[in-house]
Each structure stands twice: as structure tokens, then as C-alpha cells.
């Protein structure tokens, strides 16, 4: 019985951790007035699109693979597993179709680079959001 | 680089990068490197072989990649046919708007000798148009360009009924365009160039393991169009060229007369994160040479967490109107199990059943074969 209780407790803790995985928000520079949707973001982060609707280049930033923000972004925004994305980017890189997003981690650094470049796009946890950047609503 | 076209392409590529670097501070050039590795072990489990046919291979044997002369011969476990290491370096400026890329591949099938297989300059003309000049993989099929990057594929080796041709690279120019059209993303790629494969690996399989054949494709011109919607894409390709070859080991010094070929391809690919499905169809018109080639591939798989089991069937048939008894044909059923070992590596095991369907006068060639192969693929 004691072993069953321990197992139940561990499962509940796991579920709680899942439930509290924090939402991420997509951010762009405040001077960037392009109207884009979630499909645009997915295409940029899979290397299929390289420009904003106004024709200027997109500068995409990603967080480190081991961060909660990256995991949440891949799962909830891109809706792809990390392995699936790695396979897509392997194709892009080794065929010269696209260069991978640059790294800007953690959230504080991501906000700093996006706030400093009008072509940039990135993402941070919702709790880290402030008015230095503009949010793309999902 | 003795061909004047190659010299012109090299000069154009150098000019593109020089112009880009001059426009920017040289210190703004960013260097990056990546690589891929596949360690593959395979063993022929059985099959058939006609002793009257001796091409120098120990058969029953399984051809896993015609273009690289990757043949698993019978007997012990073989590590060389499909194992390979690729290293890629890129120098880019202006955030990747201009770039020079080189890729060196070392293959077990080539005794590990490193070869510069890709070398090209890229210019992003704007957000829709990209120009590339240099040496690249010819996009005959949907996965041609990543055929060497095992991690990017569900198979240990792609079905050879489609993915096997005498020329796989070319020196030339390609101009690509991409644009969102509603929920779809459209891409079009136009290409042109030429290629000469001296001591073609492909022709060893037909003319003998120790033979030497040169193959040449001139006036390559083609277009590929793809529409993508989230998890689905449809691709059409048309490529034409003049083909010639000469069997040097048979004393031929002149190339055969140029024969026009027209390659038509259609592929449908779906991957919604769980289901994986693919259909590819190839039709080649080489009526001024021997006739026609037809190849098809059907594949389906389903992901369970880190596991992806996949089943595929590939078929190749040749039509030779003047001599139907000499037509080549074969099928392969493949069962693959892929496991995601980490975010950048995968383990795979694949079972293949090859059935020879050649016409009587073609000769038994390599016969039927069953192969088991195990692979460790990674990218870095």
C-alpha cells in the first residue's frame, strides 16, 4: 500500500509539473508593424519563410534546446517534437535552403535582442513579458 | 575544373561572395560548421544468384545505393557500403544573405576517401528569390538532397528502385522562389548545368565491379514545384538533359552519341507528427536511347513516442520497345524501425526483400536478396 501511495504521489507531482508548464508568447520588435499569424511563425521557424510581409528579412531567434521555453514553443506553437524539428533543420542546413535561427537564451537575453532589432522575432515565457517588445497574439 | 562552364561558375560564385564581403566589413563574415554521421552494418541473409553471371560481386548481394556503388555482398557483416561522414562549412555575411558552402563526404563505399560533393554560393536576392551557383545535388526525387543525411530520413537507406541513378550531382545554377498563397506555401526551383562522372560508381554495378565507365549529362535544365500545407506537401519535377557514356575499361575512347532524356516526377508526402506517408512516382523518357523507365514508391508509418515503424514498397520497371526481352525490373519491400536516441541521433533497423523481375534476355544480374541492416545516425 505504501508503494502504491508513493507511485500515486509521483504521478500527481508529474501531472502538476505538466499543468504548470508556463505558456510562451511570441515577441517582435515594437517598431515592427507587420501583421502576421501563427502560421507565419511556424513557417519562419521551419525555414520555409525568410521575409516579413513588407519584404524585409526575418531574423529569427531560438532558445537553447534544454530550456523550458524552447520545449514549450516547439510543442505548443510549432506543434512538432524536438526530434522532428531537428530532422527538418538537418534538411534545411545540409541542402542550403535556410540557416537555423540564432540562439538567444534565456528569456532576458531574448527580450534584449528582439527589442534591439526591428527584423527580429523570438519567444519568452509569459511571466517574463514586459513592454520592451510587441506580442504576436495566437 | 577543366570544363569552361565550371570555371565560369567558380568565377561567378567568387564574385558573388566578394561583392557581398566588400559591401560589409570583412569581420561581419560568420563561419559555421555542421556534420552528419551514419554508421551502418548490414548482412545479406539469403537470396539467389546465377553463377553464369559474374560481375565481380559476391552474390546473393543487395544494392542499397546505385549512385555510390553501395553493394552488400554475401558472407560476413559489412560496414562499408552505407557508412559515411559528412562535414559542412559555411561562411555567411549579412545575416546569411550571402553565403559560401562546402560539403565534404567520406564514404565507406569509396574506401573513406573524402570528396568535395557540394560547393556553392548562395545569394538571397530578397525574401522570395534565392540564387545558388556551384556544385549541388540534382533534385531528382523529394529526398535526393538529403540522401546522405541518414538522420533526416526514416530509412537506413532509401529504396534503390527510385533513388539510384548514374548522375546525382551537377555543376550549375539554380534560382528558387517561395511565396505563401493562403494556407499554402508555394516554392519553385529552376536549375541548369552539366555533370561528368568519371569512373561512375553506378556503372560498376552493370558493367562489372572492376570496370570503368564515364557518364556525362549535358544541357541539364529542369524545374521543380512544391506546394506545402502544414503537414502535407506535393511536388512535381521535370528535368531534361543529353546523356552519353563510354566504357573506358572496354577500350572506348569516345562518348556515345548524345541521347535526350526527359525525367518526370510526382511525390506526395505527409507527416502530421504521428502518421508518416509517402508516394513517389518516376517516369523517364529515353526513347532515343533504349526506351522508358518507371519507378514507384509507397510508404507508411506511425510514430509511437520515440519509435517509428515504417513499411515501404518500391518498384522499378524498364520498357524497351525494340527488345522487350532485355528489360530490367525489380521490387523491394522494406520494414524499418527507427528509435530517437537523442535530439540529434537515431537508431534504426531495416529488413529488405529484393525480388529480381528482369526479362529473360537481360541476364539474372544480381538475383534476389534479403538484407538486414542496423544504423546509428547523428547530426552535429
Amino acid at each position: 500500500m505504501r508503494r502504491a501511495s508513493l507511485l500515486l504521489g509521483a504521478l500527481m507531482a508529474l501531472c502538476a509539473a505538466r499543468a504548470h508548464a508556463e505558456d510562451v508568447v511570441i515577441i517582435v520588435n515594437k517598431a515592427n508593424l507587420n501583421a502576421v499569424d501563427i502560421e507565419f511563425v511556424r513557417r519562419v521557424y521551419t525555414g520555409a519563410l525568410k521575409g516579413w510581409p513588407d519584404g524585409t528579412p526575418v531574423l529569427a531567434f531560438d532558445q537553447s534546446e534544454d530550456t523550458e521555453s524552447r520545449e514549450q514553443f516547439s510543442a505548443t506553437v510549432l506543434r512538432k517534437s524536438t526530434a522532428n524539428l531537428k530532422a527538418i533543420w538537418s534538411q534545411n542546413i545540409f541542402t542550403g535552403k535556410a540557416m537555423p535561427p540564432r540562439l538567444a537564451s534565456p528569456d532576458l537575453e531574448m527580450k534584449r535582442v528582439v527589442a534591439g532589432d526591428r527584423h527580429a522575432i523570438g519567444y519568452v515565457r509569459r511571466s517574463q513579458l514586459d513592454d520592451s517588445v510587441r506580442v504576436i497574439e495566437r | 575544373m577543366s570544363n569552361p562552364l565550371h570555371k565560369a561558375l567558380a568565377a561567378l560564385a567568387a564574385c558573388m561572395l566578394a561583392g557581398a564581403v566588400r559591401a560589409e566589413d570583412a569581420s561581419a563574415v560568420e563561419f559555421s560548421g555542421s556534420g552528419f554521421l551514419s554508421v551502418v552494418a548490414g548482412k545479406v541473409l539469403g537470396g539467389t544468384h546465377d553463377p553464369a553471371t559474374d560481375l565481380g560481386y559476391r552474390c546473393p548481394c543487395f544494392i542499397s545505393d546505385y549512385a555510390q556503388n553501395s553493394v552488400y555482398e554475401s558472407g560476413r557483416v559489412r560496414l562499408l557500403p552505407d557508412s559515411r561522414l559528412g562535414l559542412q562549412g559555411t561562411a555567411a555575411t549579412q545575416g546569411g544573405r550571402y553565403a559560401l558552402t562546402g560539403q565534404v563526404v567520406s564514404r565507406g563505399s569509396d574506401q573513406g576517401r573524402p570528396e568535395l560533393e557540394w560547393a556553392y554560393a548562395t545569394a538571397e536576392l530578397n525574401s522570395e528569390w534565392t540564387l545558388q551557383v556551384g556544385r549541388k545535388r540534382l533534385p531528382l526525387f523529394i529526398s535526393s538532397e538529403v540522401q546522405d543525411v541518414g538522420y533526416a530520413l526514416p530509412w537506413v537507406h532509401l529504396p534503390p528502385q527510385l533513388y539510384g541513378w548514374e548522375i546525382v550531382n551537377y555543376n550549375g545554377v539554380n534560382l528558387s522562389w517561395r511565396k505563401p498563397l493562403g494556407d499554402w506555401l508555394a516554392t519553385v526551383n529552376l536549375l541548369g548545368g552539366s555533370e561528368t562522372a568519371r569512373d561512375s560508381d553506378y556503372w560498376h554495378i552493370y558493367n562489372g565491379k572492376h570496370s570503368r565507365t564515364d557518364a556525362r549529362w549535358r544541357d541539364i535544365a529542369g524545374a521543380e514545384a512544391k506546394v506545402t500545407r502544414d503537414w502535407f506537401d506535393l511536388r512535381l519535377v521535370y528535368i531534361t538533359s543529353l546523356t552519353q557514356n563510354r566504357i573506358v575499361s572496354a577500350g572506348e575512347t569516345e562518348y556515345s552519341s548524345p541521347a535526350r532524356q526527359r525525367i518526370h516526377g510526382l511525390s506526395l508526402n505527409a507527416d502530421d507528427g504521428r502518421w508518416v506517408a509517402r508516394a513517389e512516382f518516376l517516369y523517364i523518357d529515353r526513347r532515343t536511347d533504349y526506351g522508358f523507365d518507371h519507378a514507384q514508391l509507397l510508404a507508411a508509418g506511425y510514430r509511437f513516442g520515440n519509435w517509428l515503424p515504417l513499411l515501404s514498397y518500391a518498384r522499378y520497371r524498364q520498357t524497351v520497345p525494340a527488345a522487350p526481352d532485355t528489360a530490367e525490373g525489380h521490387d523491394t519491400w522494406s520494414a524499418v524501425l527507427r528509435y530517437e536516441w537523442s535530439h540529434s541521433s537515431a537508431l534504426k533497423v531495416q529488413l529488405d526483400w529484393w525480388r529480381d523481375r528482369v526479362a529473360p534476355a537481360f541476364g539474372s544480374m544480381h538475383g534476389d536478396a534479403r538484407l538486414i541492416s542496423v544504423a546509428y545516425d547523428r547530426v552535429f
Side-chain angles (χ1 to χ4, degrees), chain B residues 203-246:
Chain B
W203 282 107
H204 284 277
I205 291 168
Y206 290 94
N207 294 340
K209 188 175 181 180
H210 304 293
S211 66
R212 180 190 160 131
T213 305
D214 295 343
R216 186 157 79 181
W217 285 17
R218 291 191 292 125
D219 299 344
I220 299 172
E224 57 172 334
K226 189 161 89 168
V227 287
T228 306
R229 182 172 179 166
D230 195 12
W231 51 268
F232 172 78
D233 54 56
L234 177 135
R235 177 181 180 270
L236 290 164
V237 65
Y238 174 80
I239 296 174
T240 180
S241 79
L242 293 173
T243 69
Q244 294 171 279
N245 58 47
R246 62 180 179 193

Side-chain angles (χ1 to χ4, degrees), chain B residues 154-210:
Chain B
W155 289 272
V156 171
H157 49 255
L158 283 158
Q161 277 67 28
L162 268 90
Y163 286 83
W165 219 240
E166 61 183 353
I167 294 290
V168 288
N169 283 19
Y170 75 108
N171 300 299
V173 182
N174 73 290
L175 180 66
S176 60
W177 169 85
R178 74 188 77 79
K179 191 173 181 64
L181 300 171
D183 291 336
W184 296 83
L185 179 74
T187 55
V188 175
N189 184 31
L190 306 173
L191 62 96
S194 68
E195 170 70 345
T196 299
R198 299 193 192 284
D199 194 12
S200 160
D201 286 321
Y202 171 94
W203 282 107
H204 284 277
I205 291 168
Y206 290 94
N207 294 340
K209 188 175 181 180
H210 304 293

